Amino acid sequence: MGENVAILGLGTMGAGMAMNLLKAGFSLTVYNRTASKAQELVDAGARLASTPSEAADGASIVIGMLADDAASREVWTGKDGVLETVKKGAVLIESSTVSPGWISELAGYAVQREAELLDAPVTGSRAQAQAGQLSFLVGGNDSALQKATPALKSMSKEIIHLGPVGSGAKMKLINNFLCGVQVASLAEGLTWIERSGLDREKALSVLKSGAPGSPLLGAISARMVNRDYAVNFLLKLMTKDLSYAQVEAANCDVDLKTAEIARSLFEAAIAKGYGDEDMASVIEPLRTRRGENR
Ligand code: NAP
């Protein structure tokens, strides 16, 4: 049996990550608030814990892949949380997209338990999590990262060490700020194309092969065109990322005006019931505002 690893949070991302840890031979314990989501992993050989503290008991590496600051706080520090049982010398890896402020607080709790924290949020989405092709953006010290590297490698194509604790969380918010603004502007641009009389496919191919072209524009425009909102990235999570980005940038005296506007589009989509669909559905309120329903 390999090293004892625990992973908490088996949503869109955590489920794929957990499966790759199992495939790599780690002895894996899983926890999810909604336990039924763990069944496939249990069938594949994972042990199911009924609380985060039970999952962390005896684990040398504990990974969190949770929705937001509140979920992360609950799982690490709440009643029956990881910190109740985590062993001395364990490496705690917070891979959720959370605020650097929360990471700094959590790092302090880890020290009290004589454990070490790495913030290691990811880029890539559902497909990359399933394929073990994520990129980890890591903050923390070298020795903790060295211990965590075999586990991180089993889930990723690259591990980028950006600096001390908090560096990964900061980088991730900058990354998702740019993504969120691009998705919001694409929603407006595509709505404009659809009302302009231009051939939609031709217009999109000009954008994709031109200067604005990006992997994100390619993937999200296809989902918008097909109205395929099966979840790769929940719309409500992008809204969360933009709001954390605004707070973090303000700490550096930067006013993210474009994030504010992008976030207002995502919030309008939440108000129309799209919060639990893919973020590409941010286009729908724009399409319907003037009575259109393509
Ligand atoms: P998700 O599918 O919504 O999963 C969220 C997880 O958090 C679930 O396991 C959920 O448990 C758990 N959770 C939520 N609130 C909780 C609470 N109060 N207490 C305990 N557990 C709670 O999200 P995801 O797409 O996997 O994303 C996970 C993280 O990675 C997020 O921070 C997201 O921003 C980030 N991220 C996502 C993507 C992407 O493409 N999806 C890419 C990069 C980074 P239940 O199952 O019980 O609800």
Side-chain angles (χ1 to χ4, degrees):
M1 270 299 193
E3 193 171 12
N4 284 333
V5 176
I7 184 162
L8 310 131
L10 305 172
T12 305
M13 300 298 284
M17 291 163 70
M19 199 55 93
N20 284 311
L21 287 162
L22 266 184
K23 284 184 194 155
F26 291 101
S27 171
L28 188 71
T29 303
V30 296
Y31 165 81
N32 198 59
R33 179 180 62 177
T34 309
S36 56
K37 289 192 195 167
Q39 196 51 52
E40 202 183 329
L41 285 153
V42 170
D43 292 344
R47 190 174 76 89
L48 177 63
S50 57
T51 62
S53 60
E54 187 190 322
D57 199 359
S60 48
I61 293 177
V62 184
I63 302 164
M65 197 52 177
L66 303 147
D68 54 15
D69 281 10
S72 173
R73 185 179 285 277
E74 176 71 27
V75 165
W76 293 102
T77 66
K79 184 177 174 303
D80 298 322
V82 169
L83 290 169
E84 287 185 9
T85 52
V86 77
K87 71 176 185 186
K88 186 176 164 182
V91 178
L92 314 182
I93 305 175
E94 181 45 285
S95 281
S96 323
T97 303
V98 290
S99 68
W102 164 238
I103 286 292
S104 158
E105 196 181 331
L106 183 56
Y109 298 138
V111 169
Q112 285 169 18
R113 298 287 313 184
E114 298 184 71
E116 289 181 284
L117 180 72
L118 295 173
D119 51 310
V122 301
T123 62
S125 193
R126 181 195 288 276
Q128 290 74 22
Q130 286 175 346
Q133 292 291 305
L134 295 168
S135 297
F136 282 101
L137 308 175
V138 182
N141 73 35
D142 286 329
S143 72
L145 180 53
Q146 225 168 9
K147 288 184 211 161
T149 292
L152 294 179
K153 262 196 178 154
S154 74
M155 301 180 276
S156 66
K157 63 172 184 188
E158 61 182 341
I159 301 166
I160 303 163
H161 191 189
L162 289 147
V165 164
S167 306
K170 288 177 188 169
M171 186 66 240
K172 176 64 183 166
L173 292 183
I174 295 167
N175 185 80
N176 278 29
F177 157 54
L178 266 68
C179 291
V181 169
Q182 195 182 22
V183 170
S185 67
L186 174 62
E188 291 182 330
L190 183 52
T191 306
W192 183 9
I193 288 169
E194 289 174 348
R195 290 178 188 168
S196 67
L198 287 167
D199 179 289
R200 186 168 67 179
E201 284 317 303
K202 271 191 194 155
L204 274 176
S205 99
V206 169
L207 295 179
K208 282 190 261 185
S209 61
S214 70
L216 189 69
L217 188 139
I220 301 294
S221 64
R223 285 182 218 156
M224 288 174 170
V225 165
N226 297 323
R227 291 186 144 161
D228 170 11
Y229 303 136
V231 176
N232 282 276
F233 193 123
L234 279 166
L235 188 143
K236 68 183 178 193
L237 292 182
M238 180 51 88
T239 317
K240 174 258 307 184
D241 292 354
L242 287 169
S243 86
Y244 290 175
Q246 284 182 272
V247 171
E248 187 55 23
N251 289 339
C252 297
D253 218 4
V254 181
D255 181 10
L256 298 187
K257 292 194 169 63
T258 52
E260 176 67 24
I261 292 168
R263 190 164 63 89
S264 73
L265 267 64
F266 285 102
E267 274 169 3
I270 289 176
K272 295 274 182 197
Y274 291 101
D276 288 313
E277 302 209 39
D278 191 79
M279 65 176 164
S281 62
V282 68
I283 192 173
E284 288 303 328
L286 303 181
R287 276 177 169 151
T288 56
R289 192 174 298 157
R290 292 179 199 169
E292 293 191 5
N293 196 14
R294 261 174 285 195

Coordinates of all heavy atoms in Angstrom, one line a residue, residues 14-15 66 97 131 160 176 216 246 254 264 287:
G14 N -12.8 17.5 -7.6 CA -12.3 16.6 -6.6 C -12.5 15.1 -6.9 O -11.6 14.3 -6.7
A15 N -13.6 14.8 -7.6 CA -13.8 13.4 -8.0 C -12.8 12.9 -8.9 O -12.2 11.8 -8.7 CB -15.2 13.2 -8.6
L66 N -12.8 22.2 -2.3 CA -14.1 22.6 -1.8 C -14.5 23.9 -2.5 O -13.7 24.6 -3.2 CB -14.0 22.8 -0.3 CG -13.5 21.5 0.4 CD1 -12.7 21.8 1.6 CD2 -14.7 20.6 0.6
T97 N -10.2 27.1 -4.9 CA -10.0 28.5 -5.1 C -10.5 29.3 -4.0 O -11.8 29.5 -3.8 CB -10.6 29.0 -6.4 OG1 -10.1 28.1 -7.5 CG2 -10.2 30.4 -6.8
A131 N -8.3 13.6 -16.4 CA -7.2 13.1 -17.2 C -5.9 13.2 -16.4 O -4.8 12.8 -16.9 CB -7.1 13.8 -18.5
I160 N 3.7 24.4 -10.5 CA 4.4 25.6 -10.6 C 4.5 26.2 -9.2 O 3.5 26.6 -8.6 CB 3.7 26.6 -11.5 CG1 3.6 26.0 -12.9 CG2 4.5 27.9 -11.6 CD1 2.5 26.6 -13.8
N176 N -8.2 33.8 -12.8 CA -9.6 33.7 -13.0 C -10.3 35.1 -13.2 O -11.4 35.1 -13.8 CB -10.3 32.9 -11.8 CG -10.1 31.4 -12.1 OD1 -9.2 31.0 -12.7 ND2 -11.1 30.6 -11.6
L216 N -10.0 29.5 -23.9 CA -11.2 29.7 -23.2 C -12.3 30.2 -24.2 O -13.4 29.8 -24.2 CB -11.0 30.8 -22.1 CG -12.1 31.1 -21.2 CD1 -12.4 29.9 -20.3 CD2 -11.9 32.4 -20.4
Q246 N -11.6 40.9 -6.6 CA -11.7 42.3 -6.3 C -11.2 42.7 -4.9 O -10.5 43.7 -4.8 CB -13.2 42.7 -6.4 CG -13.7 42.8 -7.8 CD -15.2 43.2 -7.8 OE1 -16.1 42.4 -7.7 NE2 -15.4 44.5 -7.9
V254 N -5.5 48.1 -6.1 CA -5.9 48.1 -7.5 C -7.4 47.9 -7.6 O -7.9 47.0 -6.9 CB -5.2 46.9 -8.3 CG1 -5.7 46.8 -9.7 CG2 -3.7 47.0 -8.2
S264 N -21.2 41.7 -12.4 CA -22.7 42.0 -12.5 C -23.4 41.2 -13.5 O -24.6 40.9 -13.3 CB -22.8 43.5 -12.7 OG -22.5 43.8 -14.1
R287 N -29.2 37.4 -24.0 CA -30.0 36.9 -25.2 C -31.5 37.2 -25.1 O -32.2 37.5 -26.0 CB -29.8 35.4 -25.4 CG -28.6 35.1 -26.2 CD -28.5 33.6 -26.3 NE -27.5 33.1 -27.3 CZ -26.8 32.0 -27.1 NH1 -27.0 31.2 -26.1 NH2 -25.9 31.7 -28.1

